[in-house]
Coordinates of all heavy atoms in Angstrom, one line a residue:
M296 N 255.0 236.2 47.4 CA 253.7 235.5 47.4 C 253.9 234.0 47.3 O 254.8 233.5 46.6 CB 252.9 235.9 46.1 CG 251.6 235.3 46.0 SD 250.7 236.0 44.6 CE 249.1 236.2 45.5
Q297 N 253.1 233.2 48.0 CA 253.3 231.8 48.1 C 252.6 231.1 46.9 O 251.7 231.6 46.3 CB 252.6 231.2 49.4 CG 253.3 231.7 50.6 CD 252.6 231.1 51.8 OE1 251.4 230.9 51.8 NE2 253.3 231.0 52.9
C298 N 253.2 230.0 46.5 CA 252.6 229.3 45.3 C 251.4 228.5 45.8 O 251.2 228.3 47.0 CB 253.6 228.4 44.7 SG 254.1 227.0 45.7
K299 N 250.5 228.2 44.8 CA 249.3 227.5 45.2 C 249.5 226.1 45.9 O 248.8 225.8 46.8 CB 248.5 227.2 43.9 CG 247.8 228.5 43.4 CD 247.0 228.2 42.2 CE 246.4 229.5 41.7 NZ 245.4 229.3 40.6
T300 N 250.6 225.4 45.5 CA 250.9 224.2 46.2 C 251.2 224.4 47.7 O 250.7 223.6 48.5 CB 252.1 223.5 45.5 OG1 251.7 223.3 44.1 CG2 252.3 222.1 46.1
Q301 N 252.0 225.4 48.0 CA 252.3 225.7 49.3 C 251.1 226.2 50.1 O 250.9 225.7 51.3 CB 253.4 226.8 49.4 CG 253.9 227.0 50.8 CD 255.1 228.0 50.8 OE1 255.4 228.6 49.8 NE2 255.7 228.1 52.0
N302 N 250.2 227.0 49.5 CA 249.0 227.4 50.1 C 248.1 226.2 50.5 O 247.5 226.1 51.5 CB 248.2 228.3 49.2 CG 248.8 229.7 49.1 OD1 249.6 230.1 50.0 ND2 248.6 230.4 48.0
E303 N 248.0 225.2 49.5 CA 247.2 224.0 49.7 C 247.8 223.2 50.8 O 247.0 222.7 51.7 CB 247.3 223.2 48.4 CG 246.0 223.1 47.7 CD 246.1 222.3 46.4 OE1 246.1 221.0 46.6 OE2 246.2 222.8 45.3
F304 N 249.1 223.1 50.9 CA 249.7 222.4 52.0 C 249.4 223.0 53.4 O 249.0 222.3 54.3 CB 251.2 222.3 51.8 CG 251.9 221.6 52.9 CD1 251.9 220.2 53.0 CD2 252.7 222.3 53.8 CE1 252.5 219.6 54.1 CE2 253.3 221.7 54.9 CZ 253.3 220.3 55.0
I305 N 249.5 224.3 53.5 CA 249.2 225.0 54.7 C 247.8 224.8 55.2 O 247.5 224.5 56.3 CB 249.6 226.5 54.6 CG1 251.1 226.7 54.5 CG2 249.0 227.3 55.8 CD1 251.5 228.0 54.1
L306 N 246.8 225.0 54.2 CA 245.4 224.8 54.5 C 245.1 223.4 54.9 O 244.3 223.1 55.8 CB 244.6 225.3 53.4 CG 244.5 226.8 53.1 CD1 243.7 227.1 51.8 CD2 244.0 227.6 54.3
S307 N 245.7 222.5 54.1 CA 245.3 221.1 54.4 C 245.9 220.6 55.8 O 245.2 219.8 56.4 CB 245.9 220.2 53.3 OG 247.3 220.2 53.3
K308 N 247.0 221.2 56.2 CA 247.5 220.8 57.5 C 246.5 221.3 58.6 O 246.3 220.6 59.6 CB 248.9 221.5 57.8 CG 250.0 220.6 57.4 CD 251.4 221.3 57.7 CE 251.6 221.6 59.1 NZ 252.9 222.2 59.4
Q309 N 246.0 222.5 58.4 CA 245.0 223.1 59.4 C 243.7 222.2 59.4 O 243.2 221.9 60.5 CB 244.7 224.5 59.1 CG 245.9 225.5 59.3 CD 246.3 225.5 60.8 OE1 245.5 225.4 61.7 NE2 247.6 225.7 61.0
I310 N 243.3 221.9 58.2 CA 242.0 221.1 58.2 C 242.3 219.7 58.8 O 241.4 219.2 59.5 CB 241.6 221.0 56.7 CG1 241.1 222.3 56.2 CG2 240.5 219.9 56.5 CD1 240.8 222.4 54.8
L311 N 243.4 219.1 58.5 CA 243.7 217.8 59.1 C 243.7 217.9 60.7 O 243.2 217.1 61.4 CB 245.1 217.3 58.6 CG 245.5 215.9 59.2 CD1 244.5 214.8 58.7 CD2 246.9 215.6 58.7
R312 N 244.3 218.9 61.2 CA 244.5 219.1 62.6 C 243.1 219.3 63.3 O 242.7 218.5 64.2 CB 245.3 220.3 63.0 CG 245.6 220.5 64.5 CD 246.2 221.8 64.8 NE 245.3 222.9 64.4 CZ 244.2 223.3 65.0 NH1 243.8 222.7 66.1 NH2 243.5 224.3 64.6
C313 N 242.3 220.2 62.8 CA 241.0 220.5 63.5 C 240.0 219.4 63.1 O 239.1 219.1 63.9 CB 240.5 221.9 63.3 SG 240.4 222.4 61.6
G314 N 240.1 218.9 61.9 CA 239.1 217.9 61.4 C 239.2 216.6 62.2 O 238.2 216.0 62.6
T315 N 240.5 216.2 62.5 CA 240.6 215.0 63.3 C 240.3 215.2 64.7 O 240.0 214.2 65.4 CB 242.1 214.4 63.1 OG1 243.0 215.4 63.4 CG2 242.3 213.9 61.7
S316 N 240.5 216.4 65.2 CA 240.1 216.7 66.6 C 238.6 216.5 66.9 O 238.2 216.2 68.0 CB 240.6 218.1 66.9 OG 240.3 218.5 68.2
I317 N 237.8 216.7 65.8 CA 236.4 216.6 66.0 C 236.1 215.1 66.5 O 235.5 214.9 67.5 CB 235.6 216.8 64.7 CG1 235.8 218.2 64.2 CG2 234.1 216.5 64.9 CD1 235.4 218.5 62.8
G318 N 236.6 214.2 65.8 CA 236.4 212.8 66.1 C 237.0 212.4 67.4 O 236.4 211.6 68.2
A319 N 238.2 212.9 67.7 CA 238.8 212.6 69.0 C 238.0 213.1 70.2 O 237.8 212.4 71.2 CB 240.2 213.2 69.0
N320 N 237.4 214.3 70.1 CA 236.6 214.8 71.1 C 235.3 214.1 71.3 O 234.8 214.0 72.4 CB 236.5 216.3 71.0 CG 237.7 217.1 71.5 OD1 237.9 217.2 72.7 ND2 238.5 217.6 70.5
V321 N 234.7 213.7 70.2 CA 233.5 212.9 70.2 C 233.8 211.6 70.9 O 233.0 211.2 71.8 CB 232.9 212.7 68.8 CG1 231.8 211.6 68.9 CG2 232.4 214.0 68.2
E322 N 234.9 211.0 70.6 CA 235.2 209.7 71.3 C 235.4 209.9 72.8 O 235.0 209.1 73.6 CB 236.5 209.1 70.7 CG 236.3 208.4 69.4 CD 235.4 207.2 69.5 OE1 235.6 206.4 70.5 OE2 234.6 207.0 68.6
E323 N 236.0 211.0 73.2 CA 236.2 211.3 74.6 C 234.8 211.6 75.3 O 234.6 211.2 76.4 CB 237.1 212.5 74.8 CG 238.6 212.2 74.6 CD 239.5 213.4 75.0 OE1 239.2 214.0 76.1 OE2 240.4 213.6 74.3
A324 N 233.9 212.3 74.5 CA 232.6 212.5 75.1 C 231.8 211.2 75.3 O 231.2 211.1 76.3 CB 231.8 213.4 74.1
I325 N 232.0 210.3 74.4 CA 231.3 209.0 74.6 C 231.8 208.3 75.9 O 231.0 207.7 76.5 CB 231.5 208.1 73.3 CG1 230.8 208.7 72.1 CG2 231.1 206.7 73.6 CD1 231.2 208.1 70.8
A326 N 233.0 208.5 76.2 CA 233.6 207.8 77.4 C 233.4 208.7 78.7 O 233.9 208.3 79.7 CB 235.0 207.5 77.2
A327 N 232.8 209.8 78.6 CA 232.7 210.7 79.7 C 231.9 210.1 80.9 O 230.9 209.3 80.7 CB 231.9 212.0 79.3
Q328 N 232.4 210.4 82.1 CA 231.7 209.8 83.3 C 230.6 210.7 83.8 O 229.7 210.2 84.4 CB 232.8 209.6 84.4 CG 233.7 208.5 84.0 CD 234.8 208.2 85.0 OE1 235.1 209.1 85.8 NE2 235.3 207.0 85.1
L329 N 230.7 212.0 83.5 CA 229.7 212.9 83.9 C 229.1 213.6 82.7 O 229.7 213.8 81.7 CB 230.3 214.0 84.8 CG 231.0 213.5 86.1 CD1 231.7 214.6 86.8 CD2 230.0 212.9 87.0
K330 N 227.8 214.0 82.9 CA 227.1 214.7 81.8 C 227.8 216.0 81.4 O 227.9 216.4 80.2 CB 225.7 214.9 82.1 CG 224.8 215.3 81.0 CD 223.4 215.4 81.3 CE 222.6 214.5 80.4 NZ 221.2 214.5 80.6
K331 N 228.3 216.7 82.4 CA 229.0 218.0 82.1 C 230.2 217.8 81.3 O 230.5 218.6 80.4 CB 229.3 218.7 83.4 CG 228.2 219.4 84.1 CD 228.7 220.2 85.3 CE 227.5 221.0 85.9 NZ 227.9 221.8 87.0
D332 N 230.9 216.7 81.6 CA 232.1 216.4 80.8 C 231.7 216.0 79.4 O 232.4 216.4 78.4 CB 232.9 215.2 81.4 CG 234.3 215.0 80.8 OD1 234.9 216.0 80.4 OD2 234.7 213.8 80.8
F333 N 230.6 215.3 79.2 CA 230.1 214.9 77.9 C 229.8 216.1 77.1 O 230.2 216.3 75.9 CB 228.8 214.0 78.1 CG 228.1 213.7 76.8 CD1 228.5 212.7 76.0 CD2 227.0 214.4 76.4 CE1 227.9 212.4 74.8 CE2 226.3 214.2 75.3 CZ 226.7 213.1 74.4
I334 N 229.1 217.1 77.7 CA 228.7 218.3 77.0 C 230.0 219.1 76.7 O 230.1 219.7 75.6 CB 227.7 219.1 77.9 CG1 226.4 218.4 78.0 CG2 227.5 220.6 77.3 CD1 225.5 218.9 79.0
S335 N 230.9 219.2 77.6 CA 232.2 219.9 77.4 C 232.9 219.4 76.2 O 233.4 220.2 75.3 CB 233.0 219.9 78.7 OG 234.3 220.5 78.4
K336 N 233.1 218.1 76.1 CA 233.9 217.5 75.0 C 233.1 217.7 73.7 O 233.8 217.9 72.7 CB 234.1 216.0 75.3 CG 235.0 215.7 76.5 CD 236.4 216.3 76.3 CE 237.3 216.0 77.4 NZ 238.5 216.6 77.4
L337 N 231.8 217.5 73.7 CA 231.1 217.8 72.5 C 231.1 219.2 72.0 O 231.2 219.6 70.9 CB 229.6 217.3 72.6 CG 229.4 215.8 72.5 CD1 227.9 215.6 72.5 CD2 230.0 215.3 71.2
S338 N 231.2 220.1 73.0 CA 231.3 221.6 72.7 C 232.7 221.8 72.1 O 232.8 222.6 71.1 CB 231.2 222.4 74.0 OG 229.9 222.3 74.5
I339 N 233.7 221.2 72.5 CA 235.0 221.3 71.9 C 235.0 220.8 70.5 O 235.5 221.4 69.6 CB 236.1 220.6 72.8 CG1 236.3 221.3 74.1 CG2 237.4 220.6 72.0 CD1 237.1 220.6 75.1
A340 N 234.4 219.6 70.3 CA 234.2 219.0 69.0 C 233.5 220.0 68.0 O 233.9 220.2 66.9 CB 233.5 217.7 69.0
N341 N 232.4 220.6 68.6 CA 231.7 221.6 67.8 C 232.6 222.8 67.4 O 232.5 223.3 66.2 CB 230.5 222.1 68.6 CG 229.4 222.7 67.7 OD1 229.5 222.7 66.5 ND2 228.4 223.3 68.3
K342 N 233.4 223.3 68.3 CA 234.3 224.4 68.0 C 235.3 224.0 66.9 O 235.6 224.8 66.0 CB 235.0 224.9 69.2 CG 234.1 225.6 70.2 CD 234.9 226.0 71.5 CE 234.0 226.6 72.5 NZ 234.7 227.0 73.7
E343 N 235.8 222.8 67.0 CA 236.7 222.3 66.0 C 236.1 222.1 64.6 O 236.7 222.4 63.6 CB 237.3 220.9 66.5 CG 238.2 221.0 67.7 CD 239.5 221.8 67.5 OE1 240.0 222.0 66.3 OE2 240.1 222.3 68.5
A344 N 234.8 221.7 64.6 CA 234.1 221.6 63.4 C 233.9 223.0 62.7 O 234.0 223.2 61.5 CB 232.7 221.0 63.6
R345 N 233.6 224.0 63.6 CA 233.5 225.3 63.1 C 234.8 225.9 62.5 O 234.8 226.6 61.5 CB 232.9 226.3 64.2 CG 231.5 226.0 64.5 CD 231.0 226.7 65.7 NE 229.6 226.3 66.0 CZ 228.5 226.8 65.4 NH1 228.7 227.8 64.5 NH2 227.3 226.4 65.7
E346 N 235.9 225.5 63.2 CA 237.2 225.9 62.7 C 237.5 225.2 61.4 O 238.0 225.8 60.4 CB 238.3 225.6 63.7 CG 239.7 226.1 63.2 CD 240.8 225.8 64.2 OE1 240.5 225.5 65.4 OE2 242.0 225.9 63.8
T347 N 237.1 224.0 61.3 CA 237.3 223.2 60.0 C 236.5 223.9 58.9 O 237.0 224.1 57.8 CB 236.8 221.8 60.2 OG1 237.5 221.1 61.2 CG2 237.0 221.0 58.9
R348 N 235.3 224.4 59.2 CA 234.5 225.1 58.2 C 235.2 226.4 57.8 O 235.3 226.7 56.6 CB 233.1 225.4 58.8 CG 232.3 226.2 57.8 CD 230.9 226.5 58.4 NE 231.0 227.3 59.6 CZ 230.0 227.5 60.4 NH1 228.8 227.0 60.2 NH2 230.1 228.2 61.5
Y349 N 235.8 227.1 58.7 CA 236.6 228.3 58.4 C 237.7 228.0 57.4 O 237.8 228.7 56.4 CB 237.2 228.9 59.7 CG 238.2 229.9 59.4 CD1 237.8 231.2 59.0 CD2 239.6 229.7 59.5 CE1 238.8 232.2 58.8 CE2 240.5 230.6 59.2 CZ 240.1 231.9 58.9 OH 241.1 232.8 58.6
W350 N 238.5 227.0 57.7 CA 239.6 226.6 56.8 C 239.1 226.2 55.4 O 239.7 226.5 54.4 CB 240.5 225.6 57.4 CG 241.3 226.1 58.6 CD1 241.1 225.8 59.9 CD2 242.3 227.1 58.6 NE1 242.0 226.5 60.7 CE2 242.7 227.3 59.9 CE3 242.9 227.8 57.6 CZ2 243.7 228.2 60.3 CZ3 243.9 228.8 57.9 CH2 244.3 228.9 59.2
L351 N 238.0 225.4 55.4 CA 237.4 225.0 54.1 C 237.0 226.2 53.3 O 237.2 226.3 52.1 CB 236.3 224.1 54.3 CG 236.6 222.6 54.7 CD1 235.4 221.9 55.2 CD2 237.3 221.9 53.6
R352 N 236.4 227.2 54.0 CA 236.0 228.4 53.3 C 237.1 229.2 52.6 O 237.0 229.8 51.6 CB 235.2 229.3 54.2 CG 233.8 228.9 54.5 CD 233.1 229.8 55.5 NE 231.8 229.4 55.7 CZ 231.1 229.8 56.8 NH1 231.6 230.7 57.6 NH2 229.8 229.4 56.9
L353 N 238.3 229.1 53.3 CA 239.5 229.7 52.7 C 239.8 229.2 51.3 O 240.4 229.8 50.5 CB 240.7 229.7 53.6 CG 240.6 230.6 54.8 CD1 241.9 230.4 55.6 CD2 240.4 232.0 54.5
Y354 N 239.5 227.9 51.1 CA 239.7 227.3 49.8 C 238.9 228.0 48.7 O 239.3 227.8 47.5 CB 239.3 225.8 49.8 CG 240.5 224.9 50.3 CD1 240.5 224.4 51.6 CD2 241.4 224.4 49.4 CE1 241.5 223.6 52.0 CE2 242.4 223.6 49.8 CZ 242.5 223.2 51.1 OH 243.5 222.3 51.5
Q355 N 237.9 228.7 49.1 CA 237.1 229.4 48.1 C 237.7 230.7 47.7 O 237.2 231.3 46.7 CB 235.7 229.6 48.6 CG 234.9 228.3 48.8 CD 233.5 228.6 49.5 OE1 233.4 229.4 50.4 NE2 232.5 227.9 48.9
S356 N 238.7 231.1 48.4 CA 239.4 232.4 48.0 C 239.9 232.3 46.6 O 240.6 231.4 46.2 CB 240.5 232.7 49.0 OG 240.0 232.9 50.3
P357 N 239.7 233.4 45.8 CA 240.2 233.3 44.4 C 241.7 233.3 44.4 O 242.4 233.8 45.2 CB 239.7 234.7 43.8 CG 238.8 235.2 44.8 CD 238.9 234.6 46.1
N358 N 242.2 232.5 43.5 CA 243.7 232.4 43.2 C 244.4 231.8 44.4 O 245.6 231.9 44.4 CB 244.3 233.7 42.9 CG 243.6 234.3 41.6 OD1 243.4 233.6 40.7 ND2 243.4 235.6 41.7
L359 N 243.7 231.2 45.3 CA 244.4 230.5 46.4 C 244.7 229.1 46.1 O 245.9 228.6 46.1 CB 243.6 230.6 47.7 CG 244.4 230.3 49.0 CD1 245.6 231.1 49.2 CD2 243.4 230.4 50.2
V360 N 243.7 228.3 45.8 CA 243.9 226.9 45.4 C 242.7 226.6 44.4 O 241.8 227.3 44.3 CB 243.8 225.9 46.6 CG1 245.0 226.1 47.5 CG2 242.5 226.1 47.4
Q361 N 242.9 225.5 43.7 CA 241.9 225.1 42.7 C 241.3 223.7 43.1 O 241.6 222.7 42.6 CB 242.5 225.0 41.3 CG 243.1 226.3 40.8 CD 242.0 227.3 40.6 OE1 240.9 226.9 40.1 NE2 242.3 228.5 40.8
I362 N 240.5 223.8 44.2 CA 239.8 222.5 44.7 C 238.3 222.8 44.9 O 238.0 223.8 45.4 CB 240.5 222.1 46.0 CG1 241.9 221.7 45.8 CG2 239.7 220.9 46.6 CD1 242.7 221.4 47.1
E363 N 237.5 221.9 44.5 CA 236.1 222.0 44.7 C 235.7 221.5 46.1 O 236.0 220.3 46.4 CB 235.3 221.2 43.6 CG 233.9 221.2 43.7 CD 233.3 222.6 43.6 OE1 233.8 223.4 42.7 OE2 232.4 222.9 44.4
I364 N 235.2 222.3 46.9 CA 234.9 221.9 48.3 C 233.5 222.0 48.7 O 233.2 221.8 49.9 CB 235.8 222.8 49.3 CG1 235.6 224.3 49.0 CG2 237.3 222.4 49.1 CD1 234.9 224.9 50.2
D365 N 232.6 222.2 47.8 CA 231.2 222.4 48.2 C 230.6 221.2 49.0 O 229.9 221.4 50.0 CB 230.3 222.6 47.0 CG 230.5 224.0 46.4 OD1 231.0 224.9 47.1 OD2 230.1 224.3 45.2
S366 N 231.0 220.0 48.5 CA 230.5 218.8 49.3 C 231.0 218.7 50.7 O 230.3 218.3 51.6 CB 230.8 217.5 48.5 OG 232.2 217.4 48.4
Y367 N 232.3 219.2 50.8 CA 232.9 219.2 52.2 C 232.2 220.2 53.1 O 232.0 219.9 54.3 CB 234.4 219.4 52.1 CG 235.1 218.4 51.3 CD1 235.7 218.7 50.1 CD2 235.2 217.1 51.7 CE1 236.4 217.8 49.3 CE2 235.9 216.1 51.0 CZ 236.5 216.5 49.8 OH 237.1 215.5 49.0
L368 N 231.9 221.3 52.5 CA 231.2 222.4 53.3 C 229.8 221.9 53.7 O 229.4 222.1 54.9 CB 231.1 223.7 52.5 CG 232.4 224.5 52.5 CD1 232.2 225.7 51.5 CD2 232.7 225.0 53.8
K369 N 229.1 221.2 52.9 CA 227.8 220.6 53.2 C 227.9 219.6 54.3 O 227.2 219.6 55.3 CB 227.1 220.0 52.0 CG 226.6 221.0 51.0 CD 226.0 220.3 49.8 CE 225.6 221.3 48.8 NZ 225.2 220.7 47.5
E370 N 229.0 218.8 54.2 CA 229.2 217.8 55.2 C 229.5 218.4 56.6 O 229.0 218.0 57.6 CB 230.3 216.8 54.8 CG 230.5 215.6 55.7 CD 229.4 214.6 55.5 OE1 228.7 214.6 54.4 OE2 229.1 213.9 56.5
I371 N 230.4 219.4 56.6 CA 230.8 220.0 57.9 C 229.6 220.7 58.5 O 229.4 220.8 59.7 CB 232.1 220.8 57.8 CG1 232.7 221.1 59.2 CG2 231.8 222.2 57.1 CD1 233.3 219.9 59.8
E372 N 228.8 221.3 57.7 CA 227.5 222.0 58.2 C 226.6 221.0 58.9 O 226.1 221.2 59.9 CB 226.8 222.7 57.1 CG 227.4 224.0 56.6 CD 227.5 225.0 57.6 OE1 226.7 225.1 58.6 OE2 228.4 225.9 57.5
S373 N 226.5 219.8 58.3 CA 225.7 218.7 58.9 C 226.3 218.3 60.2 O 225.6 218.1 61.2 CB 225.6 217.5 58.0 OG 224.9 217.8 56.8
I374 N 227.6 218.2 60.3 CA 228.2 217.8 61.6 C 228.0 218.9 62.6 O 227.7 218.5 63.8 CB 229.8 217.5 61.3 CG1 229.9 216.3 60.5 CG2 230.5 217.4 62.6 CD1 231.3 216.1 59.9
I375 N 228.2 220.1 62.2 CA 228.0 221.2 63.2 C 226.5 221.2 63.7 O 226.3 221.3 64.9 CB 228.3 222.6 62.5 CG1 229.8 222.7 62.3 CG2 227.8 223.7 63.4 CD1 230.2 223.9 61.4
N376 N 225.6 221.0 62.8 CA 224.2 221.0 63.2 C 223.9 219.8 64.2 O 223.1 220.0 65.1 CB 223.2 220.9 62.0 CG 223.3 222.2 61.2 OD1 223.6 223.3 61.7 ND2 222.9 222.1 59.9
I377 N 224.4 218.7 63.9 CA 224.2 217.5 64.7 C 224.8 217.7 66.1 O 224.1 217.5 67.1 CB 224.8 216.2 64.1 CG1 224.0 215.8 62.8 CG2 224.8 215.1 65.1 CD1 224.6 214.8 61.9
L378 N 226.0 218.2 66.1 CA 226.7 218.4 67.4 C 225.9 219.5 68.2 O 225.7 219.3 69.4 CB 228.1 218.8 67.2 CG 229.1 217.7 66.7 CD1 230.4 218.3 66.4 CD2 229.2 216.6 67.8
T379 N 225.5 220.5 67.6 CA 224.8 221.6 68.2 C 223.5 221.1 68.9 O 223.2 221.4 70.0 CB 224.5 222.8 67.3 OG1 225.7 223.3 66.8 CG2 223.7 223.9 67.9
E380 N 222.7 220.3 68.1 CA 221.5 219.7 68.7 C 221.7 218.8 69.8 O 221.0 218.8 70.8 CB 220.7 219.0 67.6 CG 220.0 219.9 66.6 CD 219.1 220.9 67.3 OE1 218.3 220.5 68.1 OE2 219.2 222.1 67.0
I381 N 222.8 217.9 69.8 CA 223.1 217.0 70.9 C 223.4 217.8 72.1 O 223.0 217.5 73.2 CB 224.2 216.1 70.5 CG1 223.8 215.1 69.4 CG2 224.7 215.3 71.7 CD1 224.9 214.3 68.8
I382 N 224.2 218.9 71.9 CA 224.6 219.7 73.1 C 223.4 220.4 73.7 O 223.2 220.4 74.9 CB 225.7 220.8 72.6 CG1 227.0 220.1 72.3 CG2 225.9 221.8 73.7 CD1 228.0 220.9 71.5
K383 N 222.5 221.0 72.8 CA 221.3 221.6 73.3 C 220.4 220.7 74.1 O 220.0 220.9 75.2 CB 220.5 222.2 72.2 CG 221.0 223.5 71.6 CD 220.1 224.0 70.5 CE 220.7 225.2 69.8 NZ 219.8 225.7 68.7
T384 N 220.2 219.5 73.5 CA 219.4 218.5 74.2 C 220.0 218.0 75.5 O 219.3 217.9 76.5 CB 219.1 217.3 73.2 OG1 218.6 217.8 72.0 CG2 218.2 216.2 73.9
S385 N 221.3 217.8 75.5 CA 221.9 217.3 76.7 C 221.9 218.4 77.8 O 221.8 218.1 79.0 CB 223.4 216.9 76.4 OG 223.4 215.8 75.5
S386 N 222.1 219.6 77.4 CA 222.1 220.7 78.4 C 220.7 221.0 79.0 O 220.6 221.4 80.2 CB 222.5 222.0 77.7 OG 223.9 221.9 77.2
E387 N 219.7 220.7 78.3 CA 218.3 220.9 78.8 C 218.0 219.9 79.9 O 217.3 220.2 80.8 CB 217.3 220.7 77.7 CG 217.2 221.8 76.7 CD 216.4 221.4 75.5 OE1 215.8 220.3 75.4 OE2 216.3 222.3 74.6
N388 N 218.6 218.7 79.8 CA 218.4 217.7 80.8 C 219.4 217.6 82.0 O 219.5 216.6 82.6 CB 218.4 216.3 80.1 CG 217.3 216.3 79.0 OD1 216.2 216.8 79.2 ND2 217.6 215.6 77.9
L389 N 220.1 218.7 82.2 CA 221.0 218.8 83.3 C 220.4 218.9 84.6 O 219.4 219.5 84.9 CB 222.0 219.9 83.2 CG 223.3 219.6 82.4 CD1 224.2 220.9 82.3 CD2 224.1 218.5 82.9

C-alpha cells in the first residue's frame, strides 16, 4: 500500500498536467483562425477540466489524502460550466 505522501504526489502530478492544459488550450482557442478550430480547442479544454474534476474527486477518497478540496471543486465546476456555454453558443452560430 502506498503512503499518503506518495498518493498526494501522484494525484497532484495528474492535476497539474490536466489543470495547466485547460489554460493552454484556451490560449490556443483565442488564437484560432477558424471558428471550428476555436470550438475544437475549447472542447479539449473542457475535457481537461472534466479530467481535473475527476482527479480532485479522488482526493475525497477516505484514507487517501488529508486535503480540503471543496473550494477547488466549486471552481472547476464553474470553469466547466463557462466552457460548456461558450462551446454551445459558438456551435449555434456556425
Side-chain angles (χ1 to χ4, degrees):
M296 181 173 224
Q297 294 179 333
C298 69
K299 286 184 183 185
T300 305
Q301 189 175 6
N302 290 336
E303 251 180 76
F304 177 73
I305 291 167
L306 291 176
S307 65
K308 267 181 63 174
Q309 291 297 327
I310 290 170
L311 179 64
R312 185 193 58 76
C313 55
T315 55
S316 180
I317 298 166
N320 280 288
V321 168
E322 283 296 316
E323 285 189 42
I325 291 168
Q328 293 179 331
L329 302 172
K330 192 173 236 182
K331 283 186 176 185
D332 191 33
F333 174 80
I334 293 168
S335 175
K336 294 298 181 188
L337 281 186
S338 295
I339 293 168
N341 198 10
K342 289 177 184 179
E343 294 293 339
R345 290 170 183 277
E346 183 179 345
T347 302
R348 179 178 60 190
Y349 167 78
W350 290 112
L351 284 170
R352 284 180 178 161
L353 287 182
Y354 272 97
Q355 293 177 317
S356 299
N358 301 318
L359 192 60
V360 293
Q361 298 294 323
I362 296 175
E363 181 59 45
I364 54 110
D365 287 341
S366 64
Y367 300 113
L368 283 171
K369 287 178 186 174
E370 189 70 27
I371 199 65
E372 286 299 330
S373 294
I374 292 168
I375 290 168
N376 291 337
I377 291 167
L378 290 171
T379 300
E380 285 304 314
I381 293 170
I382 292 165
K383 283 181 184 177
T384 303
S385 297
S386 296
E387 290 171 358
N388 299 326
L389 270 180

